[in-house]
Amino acid sequence: MGRVKLQIKMIENTTNRQVTYSKRRNGLIKKAYELSVLCDVDVALIMFSPSERLSLFSGNKSIEEILARYVNLPGHERGGRFSSAFLLS
Amino acid sequence: MGRVKLQIKMIENTTNRQVTYSKRRNGLIKKAYELSVLCDVDVALIMFSPSERLSLFSGNKSIEEILARYVNLPGHERGGRFSSAFLLS
DNA sequence: TCGCCTATTTATAACGC
DNA sequence: TGCGTTATAAATAGGCG
């Protein structure tokens, strides 16, 4: 969104990259919050940026609870995995 | 977004809630992906829904790597924490 | 360098099949 | 019951002060 269509590639300019990070991080956290409330879902979100600090989000449960639930999943029925290979449009 | 302004409260109708979950989950994963690429950030996203399966997302690094990095943070400088208390608008 | 503004692009709630 | 479309709400890129 914005004045111009954005290509999904690393933003070279450091200042601009940090500005964008700050804005989109807030947006992502808001979306995660909305999803957790609207759909009664436990969401855990962890972000590490090279320059900025760690950022976390979790809904009603704590990050630790959600991570524990993930780690303790039987076998590894950790289905529904996505990575960079999961490209939308 | 959508035809009508949405209140952020749990969607009572089960069918509708699952439809919304499916759509917004994809949107959230896409946003997480874009953030990780644009800003060169490691992102880990874990979602548990009551009815649907676990969903994960991580960028170039694996979920396990990112979780390990989080767990191994010295002391608990786990700053920048947000939870439901972090309400936007 | 920082926060606010707004033209545009996106995401998506209801619909339509 | 699902999947694609459309009207509308939201997010946000680039500007401005």
Side-chain angles (χ1 to χ4, degrees):
Chain A
M1 313 87 162
R3 300 299 180 87
V4 133
K5 181 170 170 57
L6 185 67
Q7 300 302 312
I8 302 302
K9 62 188 290 292
M10 209 251 271
I11 297 171
E12 297 297 338
N13 181 282
T14 302
T15 302
N16 192 18
R17 187 170 65 246
Q18 293 195 353
V19 169
T20 294
Y21 175 64
S22 178
K23 288 180 175 181
R24 279 177 173 259
R25 178 171 55 84
N26 289 338
L28 190 63
I29 289 173
K30 181 176 181 179
K31 289 288 193 154
Y33 162 72
E34 293 181 352
L35 180 66
S36 72
V37 172
L38 287 170
C39 304
D40 192 28
V41 170
D42 287 336
V43 177
L45 180 59
I46 301 177
M47 294 172 276
F48 284 101
S49 80
S51 48
E52 305 243 357
R53 188 164 290 297
L54 164 71
S55 294
L56 299 174
F57 167 82
S58 64
N60 49 324
K61 302 237 179 83
S62 72
I63 283 269
E64 280 78 7
E65 278 181 281
I66 297 174
L67 296 192
R69 183 171 168 187
Y70 170 69
V71 171
N72 292 327
L73 279 182
H76 274 236
E77 51 147 80
R78 299 175 181 177
R81 179 170 305 188
F82 299 100
S83 72
S84 297
F86 182 77
L87 304 183
L88 292 168
S89 62
Chain B
M1 314 93 159
R3 301 297 181 87
V4 132
K5 182 171 168 57
L6 184 67
Q7 300 302 312
I8 302 303
K9 60 189 291 294
M10 209 250 270
I11 297 170
E12 297 297 339
N13 181 282
T14 302
T15 302
N16 192 18
R17 187 170 63 247
Q18 294 194 355
V19 169
T20 294
Y21 175 65
S22 177
K23 288 181 175 181
R24 279 179 173 257
R25 177 171 54 83
N26 289 339
L28 190 63
I29 288 173
K30 181 176 181 180
K31 290 285 193 158
Y33 162 71
E34 293 181 352
L35 180 67
S36 71
V37 172
L38 287 171
C39 304
D40 192 28
V41 170
D42 286 337
V43 178
L45 180 60
I46 301 177
M47 293 171 278
F48 284 101
S49 80
S51 48
E52 305 242 359
R53 187 165 291 295
L54 164 71
S55 293
L56 299 176
F57 167 82
S58 63
N60 49 326
K61 302 241 179 82
S62 72
I63 283 270
E64 281 76 8
E65 278 181 281
I66 297 175
L67 297 192
R69 183 172 170 188
Y70 169 69
V71 170
N72 291 327
L73 279 183
H76 273 236
E77 50 148 78
R78 299 175 181 177
R81 178 172 304 188
F82 301 99
S83 73
S84 296
F86 183 77
L87 303 182
L88 293 168
S89 65

